[in-house]
Amino acid sequence: MLSVTWLAIAAPLGSAAVLLLGGRRLDRWGHWLAVAASTTSAVVGVGVMADLLSRSDRAVQQHLFDWIPGGELEVSAGLLVDPLSVSFLLLVGVVGTLIHVYSVAYMEGDPRRRTFFAYLNLFVAAMLLLVLADSYLLLFVGWEGVGLASYLLIGFWNQNPPFASAANKAFVVNRIGDVGLVLALGLMFAHLGSVDFAGVFASAPTASEGVLTAIGLMLLLAACGKSAQFPLQSWLGDAMAGPTPVSALIHAATMVTAGVYLIVRSGPVYAGAPTALLLVAIVGAITLLFGAVVGMAKDDIKRVLAASTISQIGYMMLAAGLGPVGFAFAIFHLITHGFFKAGLFLGAGSVMHGMGDQVDMRRFGGLATLMKVTWVTMGLGWLAILGVPPFSGFWSKDRIIEVAFIGEGMKPWLLGGAALLGAGLTAYYMSRLFFMTFHGKGRWTEGQHPHEASALMTVPMIILAVGSAALGLIFAIGDSFVTWLEPVTGHVTHEDPVLAVPVIMTLTLVLVALGIGLAYRQYALLPVPETAPVASLAVQAARKDLYQDSVNSVLLEYPGQTLTRTLVFADAKVVDGAVNAVAAGTVGLGGLVRRLQAGRVRSYAAMMLVGVVVVLGIVILAINGKGWF
Amino acid sequence: MIPEDTVVDPMYFVVLATILFSIGAVAVLLRRNAIVALLGVELMLNASNLLFVAFARSHRDVSGQALAFFVMVVAAAEVVVGLALIITLFRSRQTISLDEPMDLRG
Amino acid sequence: MGEQELFWVMSPVIVLASLTLLFARKAVYVLAGMIVVMIGLAVFYVTLEAPFLGMIQVIVYTGAIMMLILFVLMLVGVDQKESLRETIRGQRWIALAAATGLVVLIVTTVYRIELPIRDIGGMNDGGNPQVIANALFGEWVLVMEILGLVLISAAVSAIVLTHLPRSGDRRSQAERAEERVRARLNPVNKPMPGVYARRNALDVPAIDPEGKPVPASISRVLKARKQDKDGSEWRAIGKDEAAE
């Protein structure tokens, strides 16, 4: 299967092209073509992994074609197949396929379903290109492809202006991150002389720390944009405007994981730039608390999940920022998170489907008996994200918390404390979501008849729930996943954290139990008001995403607008003014001359005669002056 | 043989021709009737013809007379075309006033 | 009479006649003045040892070109009087100033030259027409040929300019008669003017069988000029009634 790795990208890409160009005649069966294309990617992923497991050399670089044979800059398009990229290939393939299947039912009745599937395929293809590329330049192509596809999907219902502007927001914020990646590419070419992974990593150890730090910071900026990390996190909440399967895809498999991938993939660069690495960890820590705080206050089920994604990605960034010791756990958590977050989102979609597109959790409640499959699958996802043993979140998140406590001085206490606190907050807001939705009294609006979704939707949910439940355990047995990733992350000897591992684990579980208990008392036992009650300033701030949009407005939007207005004013008055003055002068002159051209033949004759006399006079004067007579 | 003192100084013909030419030019400029304007042009041509002939005699060269002859031929051609234009103008506008064809307005 | 006397007599006549161009309101008078100018110039040509040109001036210029212009003048309305009031502001002053400037410039310039006055004969040896013919078909033959082309193209262009293509098909006499009947017009031809057997002048209307005059028989041009007669003196009925 190794030789046909390219098929994993080509199949969804070709399918997207067929669906977009094929027109309405594909409306009837086009979505199944998309599902088949995505399945192809998943199957190729499984085959490639099997091939890779049977080899001793677990990093295969495949040359596809010469891409930019331009003098000093020679880039060839190639694929890098190693444990890291194959993990992503499998995650994207499997989760993507499940979401495809789910979407067949979810988008039924939408007149543009075929287009939707074309975009989904494009999304998958771009993400696979991103993770399989063997150079930063080719990765950038996939990076932009993901940005484009997410823009198209978030704004899929763009007849609704807020949805369209949400898509614009995602696109613009992503552009900021893209600038970072472009600058990183330029720095690599200028100082390391290469943009492919092999070349960059080979020359990275010899480069100066300043260069590597600059590259690392630029890569971090790029990762922040794509992974919705602080301070570029604002787009992810609004990205809920897209159909729910899109949210699942963005949050679980594609898009937001790209930033983590980029950091982990660039490990050799960060190895020479400890400052940049520390900043990665700090950004991760801030983001995980930020997301958790916002998640506690939101009433919109999808926005709670979005905040939770921001928070969980923060965990991954934190782990990635801890260096090689954390890389493997970042990816580990990424994979498990991919499964349980996809499951949670599909569950949320199922709830919305049953409740007539209602998203306000205060109008849910008591759905456990009516939507049993959704209840069970979301329950498994909930336990997984909480990190309750033996579900998968426990195996990945607890390891990150442990690793965060490794180090000297203040750093382990701050980072570890943040991670520990985040776990407790996560437990609270996810339990809040779960109890508000499925337990307590039904607070439905009139005319709502909650019902379970069709098998096409429930089967993917069940599969994902099984993954959420069991995947962590499978990967954690004998550290199999960490070993599998070793060719990429390198073998790291485990230092002991500043607190003993059992202590950390106990603390975590206590905090989680505390969160669950609080949420249960507040939202399952006590009645939940149907409208959000007046709350303290802190809660109000959290409800408004901790004023992220206002901060952006004050810091970026208003100065930008002022600058633009000034430039427009200068352009209109100075540049255009000069141009217009010239034009007006010409028009005025024309108006003067026009009076001579009044269409009167005799005036023309008079002008002619006057001209003859004047010329004659000049000639005679000239001759006299020359003394020719 | 004409005695020399009885010969008219060509200077006088120059003055006469200039006066006639100017009268013709002013007629073209001031008269609105197209035919009168055409006659003004004819007068200007004749004034130049007079000069040709006078200088031909003064220089004892018959070429001047030949050129005057050519001017007449050109004048005849010009009159033919001019009259054709006037008739066409009259047909389409029922007038031959030079101020009428304001379509030339720029 | 000597040459100089002739000049001083003829030149005022010519200038005065040419002034009709500026002051005569009727185009016909202008044309008459121009004819006088042409003939006066012909006289000068003869005295300036160019008798051939003098003849041409009278025969071709005055006799043909001026008559052609007169023809067209008749065609477009001999009666049109032109107002001498100037309509373009400043045009008169521009014209006068330019003309005066031209005269002053040329005269003052030429005045300083001394033109040769040689009258030693020999220019017209063998006869003026022969000498001119030699010049035209010798030295100037190329110009002669080209002017032939100019004349031909002028003739063709005049024909093209004045040619009116027929719009629609030619209608037969039967169709025209049918149209007249349909339009409730007189289906027969108009009667010729004049009272036959007594008088055949164009200004007297025809008399119908009842003895009444037929106004339509007189040309409308005569009516417009009020040169028609009512024909009462030639009316048979009128006389009979008078007798009774």
Side-chain angles (χ1 to χ4, degrees):
Chain A
M1 277 298 222
L2 266 177
S3 53
V4 292
T5 317
W6 56 270
L7 201 58
I9 302 168
L13 196 63
S15 163
V18 168
L19 288 175
L20 284 177
L21 300 175
R24 299 197 174 281
R25 72 196 71 132
L26 300 183
D27 274 351
R28 269 181 49 231
W29 48 272
H31 43 279
W32 292 115
L33 176 69
V35 172
S38 182
T39 313
T40 308
S41 300
V43 169
V44 169
V46 172
V48 168
M49 188 174 83
D51 277 4
L52 218 52
L53 283 173
S54 64
R55 293 167 64 110
S56 56
D57 168 27
R58 289 200 177 162
V60 185
Q61 195 167 1
Q62 292 178 335
H63 177 77
L64 290 181
F65 55 90
D66 286 331
W67 184 23
I68 306 177
E72 282 184 52
L73 180 70
E74 280 198 29
V75 185
S76 60
L79 303 181
L80 177 63
V81 182
D82 64 3
L84 179 59
S85 58
V86 171
S87 305
F88 269 90
L89 175 55
L90 270 173
L91 174 72
V92 174
V94 172
V95 176
T97 304
L98 292 174
I99 291 170
H100 271 71
V101 173
Y102 178 89
S103 304
V104 170
Y106 191 85
M107 294 301 281
E108 192 157 33
D110 193 289
R112 290 169 65 223
R113 180 162 69 160
R114 176 178 50 82
T115 319
F116 179 78
F117 274 92
Y119 293 162
L120 274 191
N121 267 339
L122 184 64
F123 209 168
V124 169
M127 187 65 194
L128 290 176
L129 180 64
L130 195 162
V131 295
L132 286 171
D134 75 337
S135 68
Y136 281 102
L137 203 59
L138 195 59
L139 178 146
F140 185 62
V141 175
W143 190 270
E144 292 298 318
V146 169
L148 169 70
S150 66
Y151 167 76
L152 292 172
L153 284 169
I154 293 168
F156 187 73
W157 288 323
N158 57 8
Q159 61 272 31
N160 188 342
F163 290 6
S165 65
N168 277 338
K169 189 174 180 184
F171 200 69
V172 169
V173 176
N174 266 292
R175 287 287 78 71
I176 298 171
D178 294 346
V179 171
L181 190 50
V182 171
L183 290 177
L185 274 171
L187 284 169
M188 284 173 200
F189 177 62
H191 293 285
L192 305 179
S194 167
V195 291
D196 57 311
F197 292 147
V200 170
F201 300 158
S203 45
T206 58
S208 70
E209 190 183 332
V211 169
L212 291 178
T213 306
I215 295 175
L217 290 178
M218 288 304 134
L219 290 175
L220 174 62
L221 179 61
C224 282
K226 204 53 101 192
S227 292
Q229 295 298 291
F230 183 83
L232 298 179
Q233 78 287 359
S234 62
W235 65 270
L236 194 63
D238 288 351
M240 294 301 112
T244 307
V246 175
S247 309
L249 201 55
I250 287 180
H251 290 248
T254 60
M255 192 85 178
V256 293
T257 55
V260 181
Y261 170 80
L262 186 68
I263 302 287
V264 173
R265 176 59 84 191
S266 308
V269 174
Y270 283 105
T275 319
L277 200 58
L278 180 62
L279 204 63
V280 173
I282 293 171
V283 164
I286 292 175
T287 313
L288 85 88
L289 289 177
F290 181 98
V293 169
V294 171
M296 288 194 297
K298 287 287 179 185
D299 288 334
D300 179 330
I301 184 167
K302 283 176 79 179
R303 280 182 183 266
V304 175
L305 288 174
S308 123
T309 301
I310 294 177
S311 174
Q312 297 300 314
I313 302 282
Y315 269 109
M316 299 171 208
M317 291 294 270
L318 171 61
L322 296 171
V325 69
F327 285 163
F329 300 125
I331 301 301
F332 189 6
H333 191 53
L334 196 153
I335 301 279
T336 53
H337 171 258
F339 274 86
F340 59 66
K341 186 50 66 65
L344 285 168
F345 259 112
L346 296 191
S350 171
V351 170
M352 282 164 60
H353 192 77
M355 299 292 286
D357 282 340
Q358 173 70 271
V359 291
D360 188 354
M361 294 192 295
R362 293 189 184 276
R363 309 312 298 259
F364 294 162
L367 295 178
T369 49
L370 288 162
M371 305 174 79
K372 280 216 169 64
V373 179
T374 310
W375 178 58
V376 171
T377 54
M378 272 192 94
L380 287 172
W382 166 61
L383 292 172
I385 196 172
L386 256 51
V388 174
F391 301 104
S392 52
F394 170 75
W395 304 105
S396 52
K397 196 155 77 178
D398 265 23
R399 300 302 290 274
I400 292 178
I401 298 173
E402 277 173 32
V403 173
F405 274 107
I406 296 176
E408 292 162 354
M410 288 290 286
K411 180 184 145 197
W413 294 104
L414 286 175
L415 295 181
L420 201 58
L421 182 61
L425 296 179
T426 306
Y428 175 75
Y429 70 75
M430 283 312 294
S431 307
R432 174 173 176 268
L433 180 149
F434 189 72
F435 294 138
M436 270 177 108
T437 305
F438 291 106
H439 297 279
K441 273 190 191 157
R443 302 172 296 276
W444 316 326
T445 43
E446 274 181 43
Q448 283 185 331
H449 304 288
H451 58 274
E452 190 57 87
S454 65
L456 270 181
M457 282 167 74
T458 50
V459 168
M461 285 156 60
I462 294 168
I463 297 174
L464 286 169
V466 170
S468 319
L471 212 55
L473 186 62
I474 297 169
F475 283 173
I477 293 171
D479 273 350
S480 63
F481 191 76
V482 177
T483 320
W484 154 252
L485 278 180
E486 251 173 25
V488 181
T489 57
H491 182 74
V492 188
T493 47
H494 228 301
E495 287 177 50
D496 283 331
V498 287
L499 283 172
V501 174
V503 178
I504 296 173
M505 204 179 287
T506 317
L507 269 176
T508 312
L509 289 177
V510 166
L511 276 173
V512 167
L514 213 61
I516 297 174
L518 264 176
Y520 186 74
R521 192 183 77 89
Q522 196 172 348
Y523 295 103
L525 299 179
L526 299 176
V528 179
E530 289 185 2
T531 50
V534 182
S536 67
L537 279 176
V539 175
Q540 281 178 10
R543 278 181 190 156
K544 295 201 165 155
D545 300 314
L546 296 180
Y547 302 115
Q548 59 181 8
D549 289 333
S550 310
V551 168
N552 282 350
S553 289
V554 171
L555 287 185
L556 302 170
E557 194 181 336
Y558 295 147
Q561 280 182 352
T562 311
L563 181 66
T564 314
R565 286 211 191 92
T566 315
L567 288 178
V568 166
F569 180 79
D571 186 53
K573 293 296 166 185
V574 179
V575 179
D576 288 2
V579 174
N580 288 342
V582 170
T586 312
V587 168
L589 196 64
L592 284 180
V593 176
R594 184 174 169 276
R595 293 203 188 157
L596 297 177
Q597 303 281 330
R600 286 187 290 248
V601 182
R602 294 190 298 132
S603 293
Y604 300 160
M607 278 181 245
M608 213 165 117
L609 186 63
V610 170
V612 165
V613 172
V614 168
V615 169
L616 196 64
I618 291 172
V619 167
I620 287 171
L621 283 177
I623 289 173
N624 285 347
K626 294 254 180 188
W628 285 353
F629 280 88
Chain B
M1 277 292 177
I2 304 162
E4 206 159 299
D5 58 333
T6 63
V7 174
V8 181
D9 190 337
M11 206 51 238
Y12 294 136
F13 284 110
V14 171
V15 174
L16 176 61
T18 309
I19 290 171
L20 289 182
F21 186 91
S22 301
I23 290 174
V26 173
V28 172
L29 262 54
L30 295 187
R31 298 301 295 259
R32 263 164 289 174
N33 189 325
I35 289 183
V36 177
L38 193 64
L39 287 172
V41 174
E42 291 298 312
L43 187 60
M44 290 156 78
L45 289 170
N46 271 295
S48 63
N49 260 359
L50 179 61
L51 277 185
F52 269 127
V53 175
F55 284 132
R57 186 198 196 200
S58 164
H59 288 283
R60 315 306 301 165
D61 188 346
V62 83
S63 291
Q65 294 184 16
L67 286 173
F69 180 77
F70 292 147
V71 170
M72 282 186 197
V73 175
V74 173
E78 173 239 323
V79 164
V80 168
V81 176
L83 289 178
L85 284 173
I86 288 172
I87 286 180
T88 317
L89 192 70
F90 181 74
R91 255 189 212 146
S92 61
R93 296 178 186 273
Q94 315 303 322
T95 177
I96 53 170
S97 169
L98 282 181
D99 284 356
E100 272 313 306
M102 293 288 265
D103 291 354
L104 291 177
R105 181 191 291 276
Chain C
M1 194 167 63
E3 209 178 302
Q4 287 182 330
E5 288 82 354
L6 184 67
F7 178 82
W8 289 116
V9 172
M10 284 307 291
S11 43
V13 173
I14 290 175
V15 171
L16 283 177
S18 69
L19 284 176
T20 56
L21 266 172
L22 302 181
F23 300 112
R25 294 180 65 193
K26 281 194 176 182
V28 178
Y29 297 159
V30 177
L31 201 61
M34 276 300 288
I35 290 173
V36 171
V37 173
M38 298 285 173
I39 292 175
L41 288 177
V43 170
F44 276 142
Y45 292 170
V46 173
T47 60
L48 287 170
E49 296 179 60
F52 177 70
L53 274 184
M55 291 306 120
I56 299 271
Q57 177 85 358
V58 173
I59 297 169
V60 177
Y61 229 126
T62 319
I65 298 181
M66 286 300 136
M67 290 311 120
L68 183 64
I69 294 180
L70 187 61
F71 241 78
V72 173
L73 197 57
M74 293 300 179
L75 209 61
V76 300
V78 74
D79 276 346
Q80 284 188 347
K81 268 191 201 166
E82 188 190 351
S83 159
L84 289 181
R85 255 193 66 200
E86 186 51 58
T87 50
I88 305 177
R89 197 155 52 94
Q91 175 84 353
R92 191 167 281 176
W93 298 111
I94 291 174
L96 287 181
T100 314
L102 197 65
V103 171
V104 169
L105 271 177
I106 292 179
V107 170
T108 51
T109 308
V110 177
Y111 192 73
R112 287 185 287 164
I113 322 165
E114 191 157 333
L115 289 165
I117 314 168
R118 283 173 294 169
D119 191 13
I120 47 174
M123 186 172 77
N124 284 335
D125 285 352
N128 178 250
Q130 283 88 339
V131 173
I132 287 200
N134 278 337
L136 288 184
F137 295 104
E139 191 184 349
W140 302 96
V141 67
L142 193 63
V143 181
M144 193 68 187
E145 300 286 345
I146 292 171
L147 280 178
L149 287 178
V150 169
L151 267 183
I152 287 178
S153 52
V156 171
S157 66
I159 291 171
V160 170
L161 275 172
T162 52
H163 175 66
L164 277 183
R166 194 192 354 260
S167 56
D169 295 331
R170 178 196 284 272
R171 287 174 302 169
S172 71
Q173 196 269 334
E175 284 168 340
R176 288 189 198 204
E178 211 170 296
E179 275 174 25
R180 289 176 64 81
V181 172
R182 201 171 289 141
R184 294 176 186 277
L185 295 172
N186 192 354
V188 297
N189 290 344
K190 288 178 189 169
M192 297 293 284
V195 181
Y196 298 128
R198 296 218 200 153
R199 193 183 160 101
N200 57 0
L202 288 174
D203 57 349
V204 180
I207 292 179
D208 68 3
E210 293 177 357
K212 289 176 183 165
V214 183
S217 63
I218 299 178
S219 161
R220 55 191 168 87
V221 174
L222 291 178
K223 278 185 196 165
R225 290 184 178 173
K226 301 191 194 310
Q227 287 175 340
D228 57 334
K229 293 197 166 80
D230 64 352
S232 59
E233 51 186 310
W234 312 107
R235 245 184 260 163
I237 295 174
K239 280 209 167 163
D240 292 347
E241 283 169 351
E244 284 165 10

